[in-house]
Amino acid sequence: KQEVTQIPAALSVPEGENLVLNCSFTDSAIYNLQWFRQDPGKGLTSLLLIQSSQREQTSGRLNASLDKSSGRSTLYIAASQPGDSATYLCAVPSSASKIIFGSGTRLSIRP
Amino acid sequence: DTGVSQDPRHKITKRGQNVTFRCDPISEHNRLYWYRQTLGQGPEFLTYFQNEAQLEKSRLLSDRFSAERPKGSFSTLEIQRTEQGDSAMYLCASSTTGTGDGYTFGSGTRLTVV
């Protein structure tokens, strides 16, 4: 049974810092891994999708890496801004029919 | 295409009432999913459709919950005899067949049962 864990559960850093969010999963036989952002009381916005054949994906100040063999992914945020404050969720397919989410990392960027 | 749309955004209902939510997926996506999210947790899978066929239901989906996707387009999720424990964010997502393209989520429906 696929399980997804995100560490830390919460993180507060001053503006301008680079930071890393971690995601681990128990079953390495995944098709892909997706990172989402969720603002309070809102739905999910897809940030990055990494296919199983890829090692990383980049979008602007975001870079996500995937190491299937160790069951880990990281989301790197460069030069953090207060607007980056949100909950970040990673998700992996558990079967052809659904994805399994971690509990998220609640990020706060202090001005 | 404006993405995945959910209606209503917020719903407050009294315990025991029935509620129905609607989801309109991205038009070319033949898969549609419902998830539930409680405070501080990641979304949990409820059910999914491929076209009009409901192919999987979670054990979280008690017999008070029913979902439909007539004609393989929009979907509805109905909760009968609501309970306070049903209070949550209900999220809809869609995707193409297979898992290669990822999922697109809607903005969710926030249900509060009082």
Side-chain angles (χ1 to χ4, degrees):
Chain A
K1 177 187 171 187
Q2 180 72 272
E3 293 182 1
V4 181
T5 304
Q6 291 188 246
I7 295 173
L11 181 64
S12 178
V13 300
E15 180 178 4
E17 281 202 4
N18 303 326
L19 56 99
V20 174
L21 308 181
N22 297 292
C23 172
S24 61
F25 46 94
T26 54
D27 185 350
S28 62
I30 60 171
Y31 299 104
N32 54 44
L33 182 144
Q34 198 164 358
W35 281 94
F36 295 88
R37 169 185 171 138
Q38 186 174 33
D39 293 293
K42 307 292 186 183
L44 277 62
T45 300
S46 180
L47 297 174
L48 290 164
L49 171 68
I50 312 176
Q51 301 296 342
S52 60
S53 58
Q54 299 174 317
R55 293 299 298 267
E56 63 179 58
Q57 277 283 350
T58 297
S59 176
R61 294 181 294 107
L62 305 179
N63 176 277
S65 68
L66 175 63
D67 184 343
K68 278 183 56 178
S69 61
S70 67
R72 292 181 182 178
S73 176
T74 61
L75 179 66
Y76 175 83
I77 302 177
S80 58
Q81 303 171 357
D84 295 330
S85 297
T87 295
Y88 291 80
L89 296 152
C90 72
V92 296
S94 72
S95 68
S97 61
K98 60 181 176 281
I99 55 175
I100 301 297
F101 286 85
S103 295
T105 294
R106 190 172 65 254
L107 177 64
S108 175
I109 307 298
R110 306 189 300 269
Chain B
D1 193 345
T2 56
V4 178
S5 299
Q6 291 189 246
D7 184 70
R9 294 293 304 276
H10 303 276
K11 178 71 177 179
I12 300 174
T13 191
K14 291 183 179 180
R15 190 172 49 191
Q17 297 294 306
N18 299 343
V19 294
T20 300
F21 311 141
R22 176 177 170 130
C23 172
D24 288 88
I26 293 174
S27 56
E28 60 266 29
H29 286 181
N30 56 7
R31 289 192 172 185
L32 185 148
Y33 311 81
W34 285 98
Y35 282 76
R36 181 172 70 185
Q37 185 180 26
T38 53
L39 201 62
Q41 300 298 315
E44 296 175 291
F45 172 80
L46 291 178
T47 189
Y48 104 100
F49 293 83
Q50 180 154 319
N51 301 314
E52 66 275 10
Q54 186 175 20
L55 297 184
E56 186 171 345
K57 294 195 297 184
S58 163
R59 279 172 283 184
L60 292 175
L61 214 65
S62 76
D63 55 7
R64 295 185 298 105
F65 288 70
S66 63
E68 295 181 342
R69 192 183 183 196
K71 302 178 183 178
S73 56
F74 71 92
S75 175
T76 58
L77 177 67
E78 180 183 18
I79 309 174
Q80 296 182 326
R81 305 181 303 281
T82 53
E83 302 172 355
Q84 286 190 320
D86 297 331
S87 296
M89 173 77 87
Y90 290 84
L91 294 160
C92 176
S94 68
S95 74
T96 57
T97 302
T99 59
D101 295 332
Y103 292 64
T104 303
F105 277 81
S107 298
T109 294
R110 166 73 64 188
L111 173 66
T112 302
V113 182
V114 297

